[in-house]
Amino acid sequence: MAIAPPLPEKRLLADATPLARGEDVFRYATDDAVFALDFDPRKVRLDLLEGWDREADAYADSAALAYVSGPMYERHVNNSGQEITVPLGDIKLGERVWRGRNRTAARQRAFVGIRHDGRVDFGYGELTPERAVRYDSFIGGLHSLYNDLESPPSEYRGAYSISVGQQIRYYLPRIRMVIGLRGDGRLEVLMSREGLTLEQTRALARERGLRAAYLPDHASKSRLIVPGVKDFSEADANWISGGATSFVHVPYLLRLSRRSVPLQGDLLASLTPRLGARNCGNPLQCGQTLGGQLLDRALAGFNRLMEEGIQPVARLIWAPLGPKDPQRLGVRAPLREPPITADPMALRELQNQGEDRSPVEAPLAPDLPPPLLLQEGQSLPQDPEAVTPEPGPGAQPGTSEVAPEPPGADQTPAPDSASGAPGTAAGALLKPPAPLLPPPRLPTPPLPAPQLTAPPPVAPQRAVAR
């Protein structure tokens, strides 16, 4: 505890710029430490932009508010022997569900859930049938920096406790992405400007006053794009990867856009009771709280000791490649990405290094499988590879899977799937309109082989007498 860094003080943040007319639906601000945005989850919806290397499409998407990193991903071979890319956790966006195939990893990580009234939960575990009904949006597969609202269960492991290589990454400076819950119930997403260890990232989130802070994908997979304002350039790719640009690929991005019909709810409704529940009401609870705080300080001191010992050696091995960026001379560069990755495109490049193969002939990296469509009255299946949902509890065998509405129920359709909480006067809810996503880019066709033809014969030249 004696060598632990001092507790961070909440600093004055830069004024955010509203990027939605008439109200603070979405705000974007930068300072010398981060790029940051915050938004009202009742008025902003989450979607998924699928496809590899679509940062240019995201920057040109004028209908979106922003694009940010999604959860970590991995390669997987399904039951048909087909290679696919899947998230390490579960994703639910409206009726569409993508489930991780590694169910142990999905259960051992954290999630951010947005309820049908706009309240936000920072919790732990996988997408269950109950949570599929409770949440309009569910982003799983995250790593918890801290959560002042809910203690992690014994099953939680996070993203840095499986192998020695992952544990070393805990202490290495990387570009970090953070999804956090502000004190007013709004969601904040930030990306660090320089390489930070996880302990430094935790301190940064504390300085910004976040009540809970989770990590999506990060390091060379860090993305924060504001269309028409902040893009993702080749210089950015070189910077965040430490010069190892072969690892800078992502199969999807989270897309933020304005809801057609805002959700109706109080953002502080679930925040305040959960904060009050942490106050100690008797000597035993106070002792447990104090013991937890002392343990946190001891762990912070141990992390600082490990950082000071590991970073000098790591910089000798994974020092950034290439010349120093003149615009980032005063910023600490992140280390180069070590060759421990689930990036299918990077792995394919490694496999093809010794082969005589042109770039246009290289196989494309696998994409996400089609989502499971989960409509009202249907239940989440147990099999993560199932393509059809299960009938809900109210469905009868041989009949429609959706339970009939009771007599007198409001049959007025709502234009947005989350215009109110289930069971309220919002009535029977239909699926939301399809999001206006940029069209997918078609793969580049192979270049035609050059036609080799013999040159025309040249007539012999006669010598001319002079």
Side-chain angles (χ1 to χ4, degrees):
M1 288 187 290
I3 62 175
L7 291 174
E9 297 179 357
K10 187 174 181 179
R11 60 179 179 177
L12 183 62
L13 303 180
D15 293 335
T17 302
L19 296 183
R21 296 180 180 178
E23 52 186 327
D24 293 343
V25 175
F26 171 88
R27 299 180 298 192
Y28 170 67
T30 64
D31 57 29
D32 57 352
V34 299
F35 303 96
L37 60 87
D38 68 88
F39 61 92
D40 186 342
R42 298 170 300 181
K43 302 172 183 177
V44 174
R45 65 182 295 171
L46 299 180
D47 294 305
L48 200 67
L49 178 64
E50 302 179 48
W52 294 89
D53 300 333
R54 300 196 63 188
E55 289 81 2
D57 295 336
Y59 181 68
D61 182 11
S62 59
L65 296 173
Y67 284 86
V68 298
S69 299
M72 305 174 193
Y73 60 91
E74 66 176 351
R75 295 189 307 164
H76 177 77
V77 179
N78 60 16
N79 295 333
S80 303
Q82 179 185 6
E83 186 181 35
I84 58 177
T85 297
V86 293
L88 277 173
D90 301 321
I91 301 176
K92 179 180 184 292
L93 301 173
E95 295 179 345
R96 298 173 299 158
V97 177
W98 293 267
R99 304 184 71 186
R101 300 303 190 260
N102 187 340
R103 301 313 303 166
T104 300
R107 287 188 294 268
Q108 293 179 348
R109 296 200 178 186
F111 74 86
V112 174
I114 301 177
R115 297 177 180 246
H116 292 273
D117 61 357
R119 291 180 294 168
V120 179
D121 292 339
F122 278 62
Y124 301 91
E126 61 185 329
L127 181 66
T128 61
E130 295 77 14
R131 288 171 173 170
V133 175
R134 182 185 309 157
Y135 295 112
D136 173 74
S137 301
F138 183 98
I139 307 297
L142 307 178
H143 179 84
S144 174
L145 285 174
Y146 63 87
N147 189 339
D148 292 340
L149 308 179
E150 181 179 344
S151 299
S154 58
E155 296 82 9
Y156 173 76
R157 294 293 181 272
Y160 300 93
S161 59
I162 300 177
S163 66
V164 175
Q166 289 177 336
Q167 292 175 357
I168 291 178
R169 288 187 180 193
Y170 185 101
Y171 307 104
L172 299 183
R174 296 270 186 261
I175 299 296
R176 302 292 181 179
M177 296 290 303
V178 175
I179 300 177
L181 182 63
R182 292 160 45 105
D184 55 5
R186 294 168 64 96
L187 280 173
E188 178 172 313
V189 182
L190 64 87
M191 182 174 75
S192 66
R193 285 182 176 267
E194 63 179 6
L196 301 177
T197 66
L198 283 190
E199 193 64 35
Q200 294 166 338
T201 309
R202 181 184 293 110
L204 175 64
R206 291 287 189 190
E207 290 177 4
R208 300 183 66 86
L210 300 180
R211 305 298 175 85
Y214 287 178
L215 267 66
D217 217 337
H218 61 286
S220 62
K221 312 301 189 299
S222 300
R223 302 290 187 275
L224 194 152
I225 301 172
V226 180
V229 179
K230 181 188 179 301
D231 63 351
F232 182 78
S233 64
E234 183 179 352
D236 295 330
N238 187 73
W239 169 257
I240 67 175
S241 65
T245 54
S246 62
F247 294 93
V248 188
H249 302 282
V250 292
Y252 46 70
L253 292 169
L254 290 179
R255 180 180 189 264
L256 280 61
S257 62
R258 186 162 181 164
R259 290 184 183 269
S260 57
V261 177
L263 307 183
Q264 302 300 323
D266 183 6
L267 296 181
L268 301 179
S270 61
L271 183 67
T272 304
R274 298 175 69 188
L275 285 176
R278 294 182 62 89
N279 296 332
C280 56
N282 55 60
L284 178 60
Q285 292 180 350
C286 292
Q288 293 175 345
T289 302
L290 178 60
Q293 294 174 351
L294 294 177
L295 181 61
D296 289 342
R297 298 299 295 160
L299 181 60
F302 175 74
N303 289 336
R304 165 169 278 193
L305 181 63
M306 293 296 293
E307 290 172 5
E308 297 299 327
I310 290 179
Q311 283 196 49
V313 178
R315 286 197 174 273
L316 294 176
I317 303 174
W318 297 306
L321 298 176
K324 183 75 173 181
D325 190 338
Q327 297 182 354
R328 296 182 170 102
L329 293 178
V331 183
R332 182 175 56 172
L335 296 186
R336 179 163 35 97
E337 190 86 9
I340 308 173
T341 180
D343 188 336
M345 299 187 75
L347 292 178
R348 288 183 185 276
E349 289 184 15
L350 294 176
Q351 295 169 0
N352 298 331
Q353 281 181 353
E355 302 179 11
D356 185 13
R357 175 178 292 179
S358 64
V360 296
E361 295 176 346
L364 296 177
D367 293 323
L368 283 171
L372 171 72
L373 296 181
L374 190 64
Q375 299 181 351
E376 186 178 359
Q378 297 176 335
S379 180
L380 193 70
Q382 295 292 334
D383 183 7
E385 298 193 15
V387 296
T388 56
E390 296 180 353
Q396 299 294 330
T399 63
S400 174
E401 295 181 350
V402 181
E405 291 287 339
D410 184 8
Q411 301 296 329
T412 303
D416 196 300
S417 66
S419 58
T424 64
L429 305 178
L430 301 181
K431 64 181 181 179
L436 300 175
L437 297 176
R441 293 187 298 174
L442 298 177
T444 304
L447 297 176
Q451 300 294 331
L452 301 178
T453 58
V458 180
Q461 301 291 331
R462 293 184 177 181
V464 179
R466 295 185 180 274

